[in-house]
Structures are given as C-alpha cells and as structure tokens.
Amino acid sequence: MKISKIQKFGGTSVGSAARMKHVAGLIDDGDTKIIVLSAMSGTTNSLVEIANSVRTERVSPLLAHLKQTYIQMVSELHKTPESIEKSTRFVDSVFEHLNHLVQKTYSPIVEKEILAQGELLSTHLFTHYLQEKNVDCKLIPALDFMHVNEHGEPVFDRIDADLTKIINQNPTQKLFITQGFICLNHNAEIDNLQRGGSDYTASIIGSIVNADEIQIWTDIDGMHNNDPRLVEGTKPVRNLQFEEAAELAYFGAKILHPTCILPAKEKNIKVRLLNTMQPTAEGTTISNEVSHSGIVAIAAKDGITSIKIKSGRMLLAYGFLREVFQIFEDFQTPIDLITTSEVGVSVTIDNNKHLNEIKQKLEKCGTVFVEKNMTIICVVGQIPSDTIGIQSKVLQAFQDIPIRMVSYGGSNYNISFIVRSEDKIKALQKLHNTLFL
Ligand code: ADP
Ligand code: ASP
Ligand code: MG
C-alpha cells in the first residue's frame, strides 16, 4: 500500500489538549499517511532536568510536577470515563517507570530512556483521543523499526525491512501514528536522533516509504528569511532548494533539523513547512526547483569557537593541512568553516568537548589562538561564482561590525561570516535591512 504523506507535528503543535484536538482535525483528509509526533512542548526539557537530577532530592518534585501536567491534560482531552481511565493508566505506567529510572545512577543510556517517555506519552494520548472519536488509526512504536548504528546514524536497510513489514501487516490501515526522535541503538538500547530530531524521523520514514511529500507542521508559517525571534520584519520564504534549506538549518534556522534534508533530497521528495496555528497559510516548499535568484535568507549559529593556527611554513610545507585536520578527526570534532592564508589557517568548531586536547596537539603545528563565544552568520541563496554585486552588498552590512572570518566559494549557496556573539543581532538586522528592505 502506498503511503502518500508523512505529517510531523512538533512540540507546540501537540502542546496541550486543545492543540491535540486541533491536530486531529488537520490530519482527517482520508489520505494514507504516517503521523510523527514530538513530545508536548516543554516535556523533553523537563525530562532532561529529571535525568540530570537522578538520585537527588530534587527529582521527586520534578516528577510530580510533570505528572500533574499530564493528569490535567488527560482530563481536558477526553470526554468518556473509559478514555480518561485508559489514558490515566498509561500516564501512571510511564511515571512508575520514570520513578524506577531515577533511582539508577546517571548514564547517557538512562538519560535517553528518560527522554523517550515524552514521545511515548504524546503519541499514546493522541491515539487514545482518536480512538475515542472512532477514528480508525494504528500506533506503530518507533522502537519496533527505527534503528541507529554505533555512530547514531539511521540504518536504512533495517528500518526499511521492519517498517515495511509493519505496514504490510496492516494492508487496509490508512492512518498510522508513531513517535519522532526515539530509536534503538546498535545494542538495542533506547536512544534518540538528537534534540529536535523528530524532523529527521519524518524524513527517514518519508524516504523509506517513498512518500509524495513530507510535511513538517510547527508554530510558524514556514522558513522566514531571518530569525523571527531576533529580527523585525522577517517574512516567510515560499520556495527553497534542498541545498539552501540544508545550509539554513545547519547554520541555525531552528525550524528545521539539519539532518532531515538529506533523506528527502536523495529521493527527491518535497518537504513542506506548515503552520498548525494557520493551516491555510502557504508555508515553505523545499524541493529541487529554484524559483529565485540571489539571497533568500539569513541564519545564525551560536556557540562557535574559532581556532587560528599560525605557522610560517604553512604553504611551503605540504602536509600541514592534513596534519591539522587529522587532529580534529582524531577527536571526532567536525570543522564548520575554514579559511587559509600564507601564514596560517583558521577553523571553527561547535563542539568544545575536546578543545583542550585539540589545542595541545595543534601547538605542535604552530602558534594557536582560541576564541570562544563566536557566531556564524550565514547568508544563503543562489550565489554562483559569476554573481556580481551581491558579495559587496553583503559586506556593506558589516561596515561597523568586526568580521573575524569570511568563507565564500565553498558552494554556490552561501557566504558565511564569523562575528563575536555580542554582535550577532546587530549583524542580522543590518544584513536584513541591506538585503531585504
Ligand atoms: P517544533 O517544536 O514544531 O519542532 P521548533 O521550535 O523546533 O518547532 O521550530 C520552530 C521555531 O523555529 C519557530 O517558532 C521560530 O521561532 C524558530 N525559528 C528560528 N529561525 C527561523 C526561521 N528562519 N524561520 C522560521 N522559524 C525560525
Ligand atoms: N522532543 C524532542 C526535543 O524536544 C524531539 C523533537 O521535538 O523534535 O528535542
Ligand atoms: Mg523542531
């Protein structure tokens, strides 16, 4: 049977009983589909706090508070005593399990099992609500088919085999519901696809069932041309190419998880970003088509560390860059941006876990300067190498903002700048005014 749509609803879209009821109305169009749900907004953050408080006296009040939210939610969600009882029983069982987990010593695996309860709660309660309304639906546990390998990457063959089997066992079912974010790792332990990873679940499933489209429903009318939380006057972008969307997501546009573009792009499945609160708004369509030229949007990513390695012998000595990159590889630390000159190389990273060790090793290659609290500002669009005018316009916006690094020419889709985080909002607003107003 052909699954035509994947519809993923994020935390705010299912953040209350009223919102869940609204989503139930949105999905009711008779298409064959898989619904992917996140945890209710706030729940994953609370569960992180609970996981970080295991075996302390803080943990009981945290659990009690979160449970109260769900008890209240259940009473608002259902009409019939049978449904209330069914959902209450489920909530009780989840919190009983959480009570057991918080007695364990902290470990990343314990934390992941605690975090998984958020998506289990939202999907079960939503399914119970649909059943109460006599909607024919089937909850398919993500833990029955979503597998990642030892690097945390999806194992497509296994997911395909297991998911296809489940779908084939339910040949007449048109509406499936599953959890975003959660999965099983190579040791068959509960794991996840990183924070915000429900988008990734949706695109992995979409690519496996070869859906016609993957819809990401959230609380805003599509990808805006700048961060709406920081900049005034942002507007939704109607169409984005996969590459543009990937750059924007990777460099900070929170609306989309960066990993979720690739599976869709590989199968050429369009991704639509839609607004649960305003379902008729056009949103953003991400596909292979390009319907614009020039810059379409700007994004920013904080928490960047820049590392400059100065060495008089860089360009003369071949092998220098390999040595430098090897050190980052040895510590499994990806490099975001890179620029070089005759006397050295500057790179940026967003993971400081091994910064001290990396710095120590790099000192064998030259003098090392580290600066933390940097931000990447990324200007995205169609910027092929013969473009005239855009580059100088972009630079104009930085007239009174110090730029630490510039990266251009790596692809036809972006120009990236490193600035101090304290200059971020000013840079975003100035770029916005220069490029879009
Ligand atoms: P969900 O919980 O549905 O996954 P997210 O909070 O992950 O939603 O993503 C939606 C939020 O992303 C929006 O509320 C908005 O504040 C933020 N955001 C950041 N940059 C952008 C952008 N360029 N366009 C749209 N939204 C953005
Ligand atoms: N609930 C998870 C989180 O908050 C996954 C998601 O919402 O995409 O990160
Ligand atoms: Mg999200």
Side-chain angles (χ1 to χ4, degrees):
M1 194 201 5
K2 166 83 177 160
I3 304 281
S4 65
K5 269 187 212 161
I6 312 300
Q7 294 180 309
K8 176 257 169 176
F9 292 89
T12 36
S13 302
V14 292
S16 65
R19 296 251 68 92
M20 267 197 195
K21 291 179 190 181
H22 177 67
V23 168
L26 281 178
I27 62 172
D28 184 20
D29 57 9
D31 280 348
T32 306
K33 58 175 73 170
I34 301 179
I35 306 296
V36 175
L37 299 187
S38 293
M40 287 171 65
S41 56
T43 294
T44 311
N45 286 345
S46 300
L47 291 169
V48 169
E49 206 182 341
I50 287 166
N52 290 326
S53 311
V54 295
R55 306 183 81 169
T56 69
E57 73 274 15
R58 290 194 308 280
V59 82
S60 290
L62 288 171
L63 277 173
H65 184 258
L66 187 62
K67 185 172 179 186
Q68 188 48 41
T69 312
Y70 280 91
I71 295 295
Q72 175 72 24
M73 147 88 184
V74 166
S75 71
E76 289 164 11
L77 187 65
H78 294 299
K79 271 203 186 108
T80 67
E82 298 77 40
S83 302
I84 294 182
E85 205 206 312
K86 191 167 164 190
S87 284
T88 307
R89 249 189 288 126
F90 186 75
V91 171
D92 283 344
S93 71
V94 165
F95 279 86
E96 216 169 280
H97 187 49
L98 279 169
N99 269 316
H100 159 74
L101 289 172
V102 297
Q103 292 178 28
K104 295 191 174 189
T105 309
Y106 174 87
S107 75
I109 283 303
V110 170
E111 167 158 11
K112 285 166 174 170
E113 192 166 350
I114 291 176
L115 261 55
Q117 307 308 313
E119 273 67 13
L120 292 171
L121 280 162
S122 63
T123 47
H124 277 84
L125 299 187
F126 185 65
T127 305
H128 296 167
Y129 175 69
L130 292 177
Q131 287 165 344
E132 181 183 25
K133 288 191 16 150
N134 290 320
V135 175
D136 183 17
C137 62
K138 180 156 184 70
L139 179 62
I140 51 173
L143 300 181
D144 287 352
F145 63 86
M146 193 55 81
H147 308 279
V148 295
N149 63 18
E150 60 274 34
H151 308 296
E153 284 148 11
V155 188
F156 278 86
D157 304 357
R158 275 194 79 189
I159 302 171
D160 191 350
D162 288 352
L163 181 59
T164 306
K165 193 167 146 202
I166 296 170
I167 293 171
N168 290 342
Q169 281 165 349
N170 296 278
T172 56
Q173 190 66 53
K174 294 189 102 181
L175 178 59
F176 294 96
I177 295 151
T178 193
Q179 296 88 20
F181 181 58
I182 66 175
C183 56
L184 286 186
N185 68 17
H186 60 297
N187 292 323
E189 296 155 326
I190 295 181
D191 209 313
N192 62 57
L193 300 171
Q194 313 283 336
R195 293 302 305 273
S198 296
D199 299 343
Y200 199 19
T201 303
S203 79
I204 294 168
I205 295 179
S207 97
I208 279 170
V209 303
N210 227 334
D212 297 333
E213 69 180 52
I214 299 161
Q215 299 180 347
I216 308 287
W217 289 81
T218 181
D219 57 358
I220 189 163
D221 52 346
M223 176 77 81
H224 278 220
N225 56 4
N226 208 329
D227 192 327
R229 297 165 299 180
L230 305 173
V231 173
E232 277 175 35
T234 64
K235 291 208 174 78
V237 179
R238 292 294 165 227
N239 294 287
L240 282 172
Q241 221 185 346
F242 286 120
E243 287 78 3
E244 295 170 331
E247 300 271 6
L248 287 167
Y250 186 73
F251 290 111
K254 185 184 175 245
I255 183 170
L256 208 55
H257 196 265
T259 49
C260 95
I261 293 299
L262 193 60
K265 178 180 149 59
E266 281 179 349
K267 290 276 182 85
N268 194 15
I269 301 170
K270 64 174 181 269
V271 177
R272 296 183 64 205
L273 309 182
L274 295 159
N275 187 354
T276 316
M277 323 300 163
Q278 222 182 309
T280 52
E282 207 180 317
T284 299
T285 301
I286 304 166
S287 69
N288 261 329
E289 280 157 42
V290 201
S291 57
H292 52 261
S293 57
I295 305 296
V296 278
I298 304 160
K301 180 172 166 184
D302 290 327
I304 300 296
T305 297
S306 98
I307 303 168
K308 186 181 285 182
I309 306 111
K310 248 176 99 175
S311 161
R313 54 184 186 93
M314 179 188 142
L315 287 187
L316 291 174
Y318 53 80
F320 175 80
L321 284 179
R322 189 188 49 73
E323 242 176 85
V324 168
F325 290 150
Q326 187 64 50
I327 292 168
F328 287 91
E329 191 180 327
D330 291 345
F331 290 100
Q332 294 179 350
T333 303
I335 292 171
D336 279 332
L337 298 191
I338 162 163
T339 60
T340 61
S341 83
E342 218 287 309
V343 291
V345 52
S346 289
V347 302
T348 68
I349 57 172
D350 66 0
N351 178 353
N352 283 349
K353 195 166 158 204
H354 299 293
L355 182 60
N356 289 337
E357 295 112 298
I358 290 174
K359 185 169 180 267
Q360 250 175 27
K361 296 262 174 184
L362 285 173
E363 271 156 0
K364 299 203 174 83
C365 308
T367 319
V368 182
F369 305 88
V370 172
E371 267 190 298
K372 292 185 183 167
N373 301 321
M374 296 284 137
T375 291
I376 297 180
I377 307 268
C378 187
V379 175
V380 173
Q382 300 295 318
I383 326 167
S385 46
D386 54 359
T387 306
I388 294 172
I390 292 183
Q391 301 88 334
S392 58
K393 211 168 166 191
V394 170
L395 275 169
Q396 253 178 44
F398 288 93
Q399 252 171 6
D400 54 357
I401 299 167
I403 301 174
R404 290 298 217 273
M405 249 171 97
V406 182
S407 168
Y408 170 60
S411 79
N412 286 343
Y413 307 103
N414 89 42
I415 311 176
S416 300
F417 299 87
I418 297 291
V419 300
R420 291 175 311 192
S421 296
E422 62 199 79
D423 293 328
K424 170 177 82 166
I425 296 181
K426 187 170 166 193
L428 287 177
Q429 189 73 58
K430 287 227 160 186
L431 276 168
H432 197 76
N433 299 349
T434 311
L435 297 171
F436 302 132
L437 296 186

